[in-house]
Amino acid sequence: MSEVNDKIVIVTGGANGIGAFSVEVFIENQAKHVAILDIDTISGFKLEKHLNTTYGDGKVKFYKCDVSIDDQLFGAFNKVLDSHGYIDVVVNNAAVSLENSLEGIRRLVDINVTALVMSTLKAIEIMRVDKTGKGGTIINISSIAALKQFCPSVFVYCGTKSAVLQFSNCIGKQEYFSKTGVRVITVCYGPTDTDLVPLMINIDDSINPEIRSNIDAQKLQTAESAARGLLEAYKNGASGSTWLVFDSKVTEITSNIDRAYDIMSENFTK
């Protein structure tokens, strides 16, 4: 089991929703410091003030950061390093859901996939034990949208979350972890009470009826319960593992993912 106490943590997209609760859950569990990376300055500074008032000065710091811009993303990492000397945990939570314009769709991919990949690689570069680091953990946020083909109206979003799952599983494999000492864990959230879900449900009547009925019946897990599920995955997950947080319940689904890929590859592997 991995503990949170005395850890230096970065949470991207940490000013609102599940990200904000993730920041608080880490602080509540005795993290030494959590850095919030987000473009929402009003919410970010408000959260920083609230948590420092509640848990002690200097526990949280907000950095205005567009994760899709490498200079801002890497600059924020470097500022945390300059202030604390090391980084133990990176939670790649930043994401957007629905965009209709071509420019917006490109930004969706840039944030949901490219920025997550760049953040993961930067974190590994800093933390890897075969260089100058001391190991650490990266948690990449995917979604049930990567696990079931039920979102015909938000196919780009589903594609990005599938990419997150495959990337994270591959880079988290034991062969790589044994060299770097950096765990990479994937967390897939189910329907959660954030601004994202109503937008996804209301955009198109072709959305899966089961998912729509859950929303209509308000069967949504809270953002806080999702964040607590993330913490459980952090404490118990092996590198390359995948965790589902659905209906406020946390389940490791690594064997399901492995079995699915075995089925998909059975025609060209022995």
Side-chain angles (χ1 to χ4, degrees), residues 118-237:
M118 299 308 292
S119 178
T120 299
L121 296 177
K122 178 67 173 178
I124 290 175
E125 175 189 312
I126 292 168
M127 297 190 289
R128 60 188 303 157
V129 296
D130 56 342
K131 301 294 183 178
T132 58
K134 60 175 188 175
T137 301
I138 299 165
I139 305 176
N140 288 335
I141 304 303
S142 183
S143 166
I144 59 168
L147 305 176
K148 186 175 182 180
Q149 295 175 325
F150 59 70
C151 293
S153 58
V154 286
F155 35 79
V156 179
Y157 175 80
C158 293
T160 64
K161 289 305 182 179
S162 297
V164 169
L165 176 63
Q166 174 73 326
F167 166 73
S168 304
N169 284 177
C170 289
I171 203 168
K173 290 290 187 184
Q174 182 63 35
E175 295 87 342
Y176 197 52
F177 170 71
S178 64
K179 297 177 181 178
T180 66
V182 180
R183 288 190 302 166
V184 181
I185 298 169
T186 311
V187 173
C188 298
Y189 291 131
T192 306
D193 190 9
T194 66
D195 292 339
L196 172 62
V197 171
L199 285 171
M200 291 181 67
I201 296 302
N202 292 327
I203 192 172
D204 199 313
D205 287 337
S206 64
I207 205 74
N208 183 279
E210 178 184 355
I211 300 300
R212 181 179 291 278
S213 66
N214 284 344
I215 302 302
D216 291 342
Q218 295 185 332
K219 294 179 180 178
L220 297 174
Q221 63 189 4
T222 65
E224 180 178 1
S225 67
R228 294 194 182 281
L230 179 147
L231 180 66
E232 185 171 333
Y234 168 80
K235 288 183 174 181
N236 297 296

Side-chain angles (χ1 to χ4, degrees), residues 36-168:
I36 304 167
L37 276 55
D38 207 298
I39 60 171
D40 185 346
T41 56
I42 294 175
S43 297
F45 283 122
K46 181 179 179 180
L47 182 62
E48 175 189 277
K49 181 178 180 180
H50 166 67
L51 294 180
N52 285 335
T53 299
T54 303
Y55 295 99
D57 288 343
K59 297 293 289 184
V60 171
K61 185 173 177 60
F62 171 72
Y63 297 86
K64 183 180 179 181
C65 174
D66 183 338
V67 295
S68 68
I69 301 174
D70 287 350
D71 286 347
Q72 291 188 26
L73 178 64
F74 298 163
F77 271 75
N78 291 334
K79 288 176 183 176
V80 176
L81 277 176
D82 290 343
S83 297
H84 299 281
Y86 58 95
I87 297 168
D88 295 296
V89 183
V90 173
V91 180
N92 286 313
N93 173 78
V96 295
S97 56
L98 301 177
E99 296 288 351
N100 294 321
S101 68
L102 290 178
E103 181 180 350
I105 289 171
R106 182 180 296 278
R107 180 160 176 78
L108 187 153
V109 175
D110 285 346
I111 293 174
N112 291 13
V113 181
T114 307
L116 181 143
V117 169
M118 299 308 292
S119 178
T120 299
L121 296 177
K122 178 67 173 178
I124 290 175
E125 175 189 312
I126 292 168
M127 297 190 289
R128 60 188 303 157
V129 296
D130 56 342
K131 301 294 183 178
T132 58
K134 60 175 188 175
T137 301
I138 299 165
I139 305 176
N140 288 335
I141 304 303
S142 183
S143 166
I144 59 168
L147 305 176
K148 186 175 182 180
Q149 295 175 325
F150 59 70
C151 293
S153 58
V154 286
F155 35 79
V156 179
Y157 175 80
C158 293
T160 64
K161 289 305 182 179
S162 297
V164 169
L165 176 63
Q166 174 73 326
F167 166 73
S168 304

